[in-house]
């Protein structure tokens, strides 16, 4: 079954083509990041307009990379939430038009669930001769860390999620972006902090605090951001080099994420950990989680961690198998959650 996945929830116009939920055939991502960088963050109205402009060229490119035409598709999948309303509307309406004109099923996908399914793309096609070999093993502990979310979710099977923890204030990616701005690194801050921290290396002298919270698996990053702000403004004595501050900030975020994910995995009997979402592209998070985890860690390659259409198509395969097909009246759900 060949599925086309459409993703427009934020600032990426992305279309992927995936066979049987696991074989990556094509993934084209048109990023608007340069346009938004000028404003220091994503401007919703501009994002929607850019999606309108990019949609058809991205579709053409995805089909030509896949080596098939529209007639070679079996289903149309689309992100219907969470995300920016105007941006989601462009993708959902485009998907409806395609599904209607081609007479194909329209499969609605939760963006957060889509991020999780990047893990299946990474593990490759299932081996039909091996009943165990269907991608990651359940129960899996999933750490979803993106620009808008930081969730710890127990995945008991396809489509079966239990949310164990979440951020009480900023999402991990949001914290990276805000601190990136404080350090004058532009937007988005995540990749820039990752690079700058790597320059500093692991010889650290500065240690920033980790938030202590009542919720065992909840996160908080806004206090850390305020601490960095005070240091940058010289309110905490002599300011360290930006690279040292970036490394200390990153270390604190990574330590919180990894410590809580590992505790949740141990207490829930998870057989493995899946790292998902844009922040999963962070080199230090990938390294530390793999180093400290007693169970296998599944981490998609960086370009499948950040927003893409292939993860939406991969997820849709399992949603479709479970009977999830949307009517052509499908609405968006900007505040959709997982678990
Ligand atoms: O999943 P994603 O592409 O979009 C959302 O669904 O939000 O995540 C984007 C977030 C941004 O906050 C960006 O700064 C962060 O992921 N990010 C990173 C890295 N690459 C992207 N954060 C830390 N290190 C990275 N290498
Ligand atoms: Zn995302």
């Amino acid at each position: 079954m060949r599925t086309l996945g459409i993703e427009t929830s934020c600032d990426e116009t992305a279309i992927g083509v995936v066979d049987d939920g696991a074989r990556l055939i094509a993934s084209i991502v048109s990023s608007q990041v340069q346009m938004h960088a000028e404003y220091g963050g994503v401007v919703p109205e501009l994002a929607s307009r850019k999606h309108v402009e990019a949609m058809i060229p991205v579709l053409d490119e995805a089909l030509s990379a896949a080596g098939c035409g529209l007639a070679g598709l079996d289903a149309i999948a689309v992100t219907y939430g969470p995300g920016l309303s105007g941006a989601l509307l462009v993708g959902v309406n485009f998907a409806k038009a395609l599904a209607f004109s081609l007479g194909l099923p329209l499969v609605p996908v939760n963006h957060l669930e889509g991020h999780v399914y990047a893990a299946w793309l990474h593990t490759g096609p299932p081996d039909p001769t091996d009943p165990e070999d269907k991608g990651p093993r359940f129960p899996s502990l999933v750490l979803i860390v993106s620009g808008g979310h930081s969730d710890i979710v127990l995945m008991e099977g396809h489509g079966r999620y239990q949310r164990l923890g979440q951020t009480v204030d900023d999402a991990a990616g949001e914290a990276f972006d805000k601190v990136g701005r404080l350090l004058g690194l532009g937007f988005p801050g995540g990749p820039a902090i990752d690079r700058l921290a790597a320059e500093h290396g692991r010889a650290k002298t500065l240690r920033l605090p980790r938030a202590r919270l009542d919720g065992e698996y909840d996160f908080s990053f806004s206090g850390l951001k305020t601490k960095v702000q005070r240091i940058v403004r010289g309110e905490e004595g002599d300011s360290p080099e930006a690279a040292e501050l970036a490394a200390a900030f990153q270390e604190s975020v990574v330590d919180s994420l990894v410590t809580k994910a590992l505790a949740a995995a141990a207490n829930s009997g998870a057989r493995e950990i899946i790292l998902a979402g844009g922040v999963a592209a962070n080199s230090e998070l990938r390294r530390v989680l793999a180093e400290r985890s007693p169970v296998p860690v599944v981490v998609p390659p960086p370009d499948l961690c950040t927003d893409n259409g292939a993860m939406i198509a991969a997820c849709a395969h399992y949603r479709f198998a479970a009977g999830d097909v949307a009517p052509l009246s499908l609405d968006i759900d900007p505040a959709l959650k997982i678990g």
Side-chain angles (χ1 to χ4, degrees), residues 317-329:
H317 180 80
Y318 294 90
R319 302 311 325 137
F320 182 73
D324 229 351
V325 173
L328 289 175
S329 58

Side-chain angles (χ1 to χ4, degrees), residues 7 9-12 82 111-112 115 145-149 172-177 187-195 250 276-283 302 305-308 311:
E7 159 59 40
S9 67
C10 192
D11 59 344
E12 252 88 46
H111 179 78
L112 299 171
H115 271 302
V145 272
S146 70
H149 296 264
E174 195 180 349
F176 268 99
D177 293 339
F187 175 83
I193 289 180
D194 197 349
R195 279 192 299 272
Q250 181 173 270
V279 181
N282 184 265
S283 61
C305 288
T306 45
D307 289 351
N308 64 86
M311 70 187 197

Side-chain angles (χ1 to χ4, degrees), residues 111-330:
H111 179 78
L112 299 171
E113 197 180 351
H115 271 302
V116 178
Y117 277 86
W120 271 260
L121 286 169
H122 176 56
T123 51
D127 176 355
T129 62
D130 178 359
E132 277 285 288
D133 189 7
K134 290 198 174 68
R137 314 260 179 264
F138 299 125
S140 287
L141 193 285
V142 193
L143 177 62
I144 307 173
V145 272
S146 70
H149 296 264
S150 304
D151 292 322
I152 291 186
V153 177
L154 185 66
M155 186 177 188
E156 291 153 329
H158 292 294
R160 288 170 49 212
Y161 307 95
Q162 196 188 329
R163 187 150 38 109
L164 304 178
Q166 61 198 310
T167 182
V168 299
D169 40 53
D170 293 349
E174 195 180 349
F176 268 99
D177 293 339
K178 285 178 175 171
V179 168
R181 215 168 296 145
L182 286 173
L183 297 178
L185 300 175
F187 175 83
I193 289 180
D194 197 349
R195 279 192 299 272
L196 190 61
E199 264 174 42
H200 179 72
R202 292 198 214 145
K204 291 184 197 86
T205 47
L206 183 66
R207 187 186 150 90
L208 295 176
R210 280 79 169 132
R212 304 220 182 287
L213 294 171
D214 294 339
E216 203 179 354
Y217 307 129
D218 286 345
F219 304 109
S220 166
F221 298 113
S222 80
L224 177 63
K225 174 205 64 194
T226 306
K227 179 84 177 170
V228 173
Q229 188 174 44
R230 288 182 54 82
I231 294 173
V232 169
R233 289 181 179 162
E235 290 166 15
E236 306 253 335
D238 284 347
S239 295
E241 297 273 312
E244 183 177 359
L245 200 44
F249 162 77
Q250 181 173 270
E251 185 197 36
S252 174
V253 174
V254 167
D255 188 32
S256 296
L257 294 175
V258 171
T259 302
K260 299 220 168 189
L262 291 183
N267 293 339
S268 57
R271 293 171 70 191
E272 63 176 30
I273 297 178
I274 297 173
L275 189 55
V279 181
N282 184 265
S283 61
E284 188 66 2
L285 177 58
R286 298 163 80 92
R287 184 187 71 76
V288 174
L289 184 61
E291 195 176 278
R292 285 174 50 187
S293 177
V295 294
V297 177
V298 182
V299 194
D303 58 340
L304 292 176
C305 288
T306 45
D307 289 351
N308 64 86
M311 70 187 197
I312 302 305
C315 179
H317 180 80
Y318 294 90
R319 302 311 325 137
F320 182 73
D324 229 351
V325 173
L328 289 175
S329 58
L330 173 70

Side-chain angles (χ1 to χ4, degrees), residues 21-40:
R23 235 181 330 272
L24 175 65
I25 305 300
S27 178
I28 302 298
V29 179
S30 168
S31 178
Q32 311 174 353
V33 79
Q34 273 187 324
M35 176 183 73
H36 296 294
E38 210 181 302
Y39 305 92

